[in-house]
Amino acid sequence: MAPPGRRRFVSTASLALCLLFLFVSTASAASAVLGIDLGTEYIKAALVKPGIPLEIVLTKDSKRKESSAVAFKPLHNAKSSAFPERLYGSDAMALAGRFPADVYPNLKPLLGELLAESGRVEAYSQRYPALVMSPLASRGTAAFTSKAFPEDTDSFSVEELLAMELQNVRANAEAMAGKGSSIRDAVITIPAFYTASERQAIELAADLAGLRVLALMSDGLAVGLNYATARTFPTISEGEKPERHLVFDMGAGSTTATVLQFQGKTVKDVGRFNKTVQDVSVLGTGWDRVLGGDALNQIIVDRLVEEFVNSPKVKTLGFKAGDVVAHGRAAAKLWKEAERIRQVLSANSETTASFEGLYEDVDFRYKLSRADFEKMASSFANRIAEPIERALAMAKLSIKDLDTIVLHGGMSRTPFVQKQLERLLGDPAKLRSNVNADESAVFGAAFKGASLSPSFRVKEIRAGEISGYAMGLQWQSEEKERQQKLFVPTSLVGAEKSVPFKNLKDFSFSLHQLIPSVDGSGEEGVQQISKVTTQNLTASVAQLSENFGCATADIQTRFSIKLSAMDGLPEAVRGSVSCEVDDSEKKGGVVDDVKGFFGFGSNAKKGEQDVLADEKDEKDDFEPSSSSEKSSSSTSSSSSKSAKASDDASSEAEKDKKPKKRTESIYLSFSTEGESLPPVSASELKRMKERLSAFDDSDKARRLREEALNNLEAYTYRVRDLLEDESFMDAASEAEKKDLKKKQQATGDWLVGDGASAPRADLRTWLKDLKAVVEPIERRKIEESRRPTQISVLTEALDQTKSLLDMIKEQYRQAEEVASAASSSSLSSVADAETQTTAAPSVDDFADLEDSTSESSSTTSVPPVKIPQGPAYTQEEVDSVSSIWESTDTWLKAKVEEQEKLSRYDNPVLLSTDLDKRAKELRAAVMSLVQKKARPPPKAKSTAKAKKAKKAKSTGSKTTSSSATGTEEDSTYTVSETPVREEGQERMTDEQLREAVNRAMEDDRKKAGKKAKSKASPHDEL
């Protein structure tokens, strides 16, 4: 058992690895960011993820934008607790003609609107008369009652329906990001005129959809940010002039104009270096909340209704215009056709509208030209310049100060809109379409999200947003209502202001927006944003008075108010209460205490450290008497001088001494409560999330059921085809044929009847019953066709393995014979060497020139004898292959005999998969032997001693050693032609394996022939 400390170390390391893996996985999942362009008519999204750089999220129909609509498809013969099917985008809009009361399009104008007080809610009800609207019980905002649910079902808020659309966008993005991806962070574009209630409604919808909003940014700034990503602008630090462009965004529901300033800035970088960054700032905004494509569509709808009720047939029936527009299906058809007519007239001079059964089965047909359309829209054309003029007035610029007007939004393509803009500019060249009119805003939002996320490194572009509205606060002090203006409409988001208060007891103050009127004549009203309430102000004031002696008049309360970078709304970030006190009695710290202990403190510096009396007495005792007298006189004189100097210094210090002040502060705790709309209670928020989760579960169960239904229908058709397949029917018995036909017929009839609405479990049961009959027959058919080939392959592998094993046994036998011959030859060689050393040396005239070392080595050297090497296989390896061969051969014979006893209708016992598995196992064993034989033996490293001994050998010993080495090389078995399988190389095929084995066997036969010829003693030369 491992020691306890070691067990703890392993456990800690494992935990650290798990945490690291979890962190990496979470960081990878959290690195994806979604940019969402929330339009009135369409929703577009762009995804930024490692490996997916800024791509549009496609819908399930592979479209680049989704209609802003969600629909509930009523269920027939369903349980009361079942949820209806949800449809999105174009699928939802396709149901508007059939189920107009359950299709909810263009929800954006209803965000943050109270049902009883909003004109926009009334306009929405007139456009979609079939929808049943009611106030939400807890807030009073607009909500819908669906006819697809029981009557006692709670109504659906606008935020809840919008959350469903955002969930659909998120699901499409996660499908695009890859399996296992989870996306939570998002940047959402909004119009510049959105108030606090509308912004908070967007945040609530995103929270219900499971999204975390990183920022809400205006459409105009998003377009400008996308415009700046591929451009470099003049650097103002070098004296250049910045560029100023106006983004004119005209969409389906509204029109906005945003004046932007583009410039380069030189800012401080890391260390002493500088860098140049691009800067995009909003200078001013203007808008028209109702001027857009829907307003022009309303003109076309009114004309179509007028022409319809004035037609001769309708006059005889007595239909009124109000009856037609109040009919849900007729209104849906009219609005859909009006949208198509407007888009066609943008590129064509005229078009025709056709309706089949528009109202009360009355058909209608009408032709409209572009000239007539522009004449009808003349009053709207005059309103195009108003947002631009307001934006320029806020920025304090004129139309001449603009470099270009950048067009964005689908309505900007309308010909009469561009004509009005050209007339306003006076120079058509300044009207630019150099951005994607549909996708520029969503790309800018995605870029903003990537810049806010720490997972990405993008081009540094600093974006400056403005508040758009004036902001202020209101509170009560000294029984009077007080107000203060904090921010102006051009205040940059992120700005912070410190506000002093005279309140010394707990109080509340409110933050609000000043909403201008539509005509710009004055302020329309004040919209409350939030309420801030202090919680410890009274106690903090008492603490300052008791602990520091602060007078009531000297105590000041202060709050810091900041424009949030997330939504641009003011928020209280910190609060404090403080006063000034004297700093004369300031206590020293721990360091001063330590210095004083060792005599280096403040007293030592001032000369106030006294000499101890005992030390002074001891010092006097050790001094001589003469010196003692002298010292006493000098001490008395010096003490008088020091006393006089001390008096002078103290008098001067008292004159120059001034009391020091310090500020004592106590931070305040406070609470913030939203006031723009009644807040959603925790129980209401939980109910909404639970219903959305139940909807998701219902949709998932429905998808799985539809998948099971499709699988069963497809398998039923397949069985019908198999019944006509002769090869399949030959493998089935008569009883199986009869049973299969019966079940196929019963399944088809059941699907037509009760199976269409059957639950998923029943569908899977019917599919299982069909497969239980079909699969055994198919298995027999397949095995019968594959078995002969697989048996032949395995038999051939067995034969090759048998040949290889026989060859190895022959090599072992030859190696033993060669080793025996080499052993007997070495004995005779040793005897000859001994005889030569005992014989008398011959007389040599040059014997005196030889070294003594050479003489001794030549007389005593005896050549070493090496035993020849055998085959490159160990006995264990050969026995392992032999065991596999024997078991496979026995198994094959037994299985073949058992299979031959079965009829063609019985389930086979000899399967092709088993045959293939046995063949692979045998080939793997043989391959291991062949590759081991082909691998060259490792070379022995020569040591320093061996080299020195070799250098000292004589000529005779060199000759003997050389012949012995040659004998060793001749008796070594190698097969250099056999291919060796390296790591990563593909596995040998059966044909390559056979060739390798044959080459090895042929080389061994040649080696054996050479050994037979030289079977005599290898030392005959000696």
Side-chain angles (χ1 to χ4, degrees), residues 460-486:
E460 188 170 357
I461 303 176
R462 299 185 178 182
E465 183 79 89
I466 63 175
S467 61
Y469 292 106
M471 310 283 184
L473 60 84
Q474 184 177 4
W475 77 101
Q476 191 172 10
S477 177
E478 298 177 355
E479 299 182 355
K480 292 183 180 180
E481 200 72 28
R482 302 182 183 274
Q483 292 186 1
Q484 181 175 343
K485 197 171 184 179
L486 294 177

Side-chain angles (χ1 to χ4, degrees), residues 118 238 277 305 329 865:
S118 175
E238 300 175 359
V277 299
V305 173
R329 293 184 181 179
V865 179

Side-chain angles (χ1 to χ4, degrees), residues 504 544 549-557 578-581 661:
L504 299 181
L544 288 176
C550 295
T552 304
D554 298 334
I555 299 177
Q556 188 180 42
T557 305
S578 62
C579 71
E580 289 187 348
V581 298
K661 298 285 186 180

Side-chain angles (χ1 to χ4, degrees), residues 489-552:
T490 55
S491 297
L492 287 176
V493 170
E496 184 174 338
K497 284 191 176 182
S498 180
V499 183
F501 296 88
K502 292 184 179 180
N503 299 62
L504 299 181
K505 294 183 179 180
D506 288 316
F507 73 108
S508 300
F509 63 88
S510 298
L511 299 170
H512 60 259
Q513 284 180 326
L514 301 177
I515 309 298
S517 61
V518 177
D519 55 3
S521 59
E523 296 178 354
E524 183 182 30
V526 175
Q527 184 179 83
Q528 300 296 331
I529 300 175
S530 61
K531 181 180 179 181
V532 179
T533 303
T534 62
Q535 297 175 340
N536 64 335
L537 176 59
T538 304
S540 299
V541 170
Q543 184 178 352
L544 288 176
S545 300
E546 295 173 2
N547 297 345
F548 303 100
C550 295
T552 304

Side-chain angles (χ1 to χ4, degrees), residues 233-236 239-244 261-264 401 403:
F233 303 101
T235 304
I236 59 173
E240 296 180 292
K241 183 180 178 181
E243 296 182 12
R244 294 188 178 97
Q261 180 170 281
F262 300 86
Q263 60 188 11
D401 296 326
D403 294 315

